[in-house]
Amino acid sequence: MPSQPVRSVRRTVCVAAPAHVVYGMLADAPRWPVLLPSYVHVERMDFDGARETLLAWEFQDGRVRSSRLRRTLRPQAHRVDFEQDDPAWPGDTVAGSWSVEPDGAERSLVTLWQQTPNAPANAPAGRSAGPDGLDADAAGRLARLREAAERWDRLDELLLAFEERMRIEGPAELVYDFLYRVEDWPELLPHVDGSSVREDRPGTQVVVLDTGAAGAGFTAGPDDGAAGFETVRLCFPHAGRIVFKETAPPAPLTAHSGEWSLVPDESGLTVVCAHRVLLGEESLEAALGAGALPVDARRQVRERLGRESRQTLRLAKWHAESPVRRLRQGRGGSRR
């Protein structure tokens, strides 16, 4: 039987970062959503120290696409071998490798090699567009990695992670329902003026929220004051989790991802809203004024996102606890 024809591409770029730094970014896949723009969420399913299986969700061309990656990490060689499957297209497997070679003390040569069988004409972009499409996909991934890696010596200043949490004495189902029904938030939350929701498949939401960001110290971006920001949300009701990422966050943010998670206990639950933020150096002064420093942006971003999270948590608490209070009051009245 003749072998199936394949397409392959190999591209190399020079990155102004040490080889161990670049390899570390490639190896630390769960951190990709805050470092690499296309990734919404990466979930590590298993890991034995060398081999791992990941579920990854990317937002490209206005659509959310999921894939399963099987990877072998080779830290001594600064190499990652992978196979990536698209569940929507069985048999359309991309095999390849990332390799990083030192090019002096603080520079690297990064090579991405990818190979895939010829795909049907209606397969997703990057698969069906022939060698040019595969090459463009590789070039884009390398460019995004280079941009992230070349901030390596400033990431401690630019990365920010924090969370807000609230104890709720009420059913987890009501809390999750409140967080899931984001289309109702404009009527309930003071920081949300409007919303639109597109749900192409159950649990995968593309949401545009008008939060009045331009009037609260964040720069709205290219629309000169429009405060509608697009967020991708992945909803996992059985796990009590909603993962989110803004696709084009307002300055001074370069990336903003996070998660709502419900942690049940014997009498209720704790709701946690976690945020992970990457600040953009180039937009600090435009967003915050002349002379603004990362520490100023960290303080303002922490204050604003924390305040909005607490407002949402308080409304979720009221939504879940009000029926419980009414039930208890009704039972108390029936005994009198």
Side-chain angles (χ1 to χ4, degrees), residues 152-217:
W152 70 276
D153 57 344
R154 305 178 303 283
L155 279 180
D156 286 346
E157 286 185 297
L158 300 176
L159 284 171
L160 175 63
F162 62 93
E163 63 182 36
E164 299 287 344
R165 55 178 58 220
M166 184 167 291
R167 180 78 174 75
I168 297 178
E169 296 182 3
E173 294 81 4
L174 290 181
V175 176
Y176 188 89
D177 177 73
F178 176 84
L179 296 174
Y180 179 81
R181 295 179 61 83
V182 66
E183 66 271 17
D184 295 338
W185 286 8
E187 300 175 5
L188 301 170
L189 292 168
H191 67 272
V192 178
D193 297 328
S195 71
S196 66
V197 183
R198 190 183 85 231
E199 193 160 349
D200 296 328
R201 69 186 74 165
T204 300
Q205 300 176 330
V206 180
V207 178
V208 177
L209 289 180
D210 180 352
T211 61

Side-chain angles (χ1 to χ4, degrees), residues 14 29 33 57 83 86 107-109 123 145 151 162 172 184 207 248 255 265 301 312 324:
C14 183
W57 288 261
E83 288 187 349
D86 186 336
R107 300 183 71 84
S108 307
L109 295 175
L145 175 69
R151 296 187 179 106
F162 62 93
D184 295 338
V207 178
D265 55 44
V301 169
T312 306
V324 175

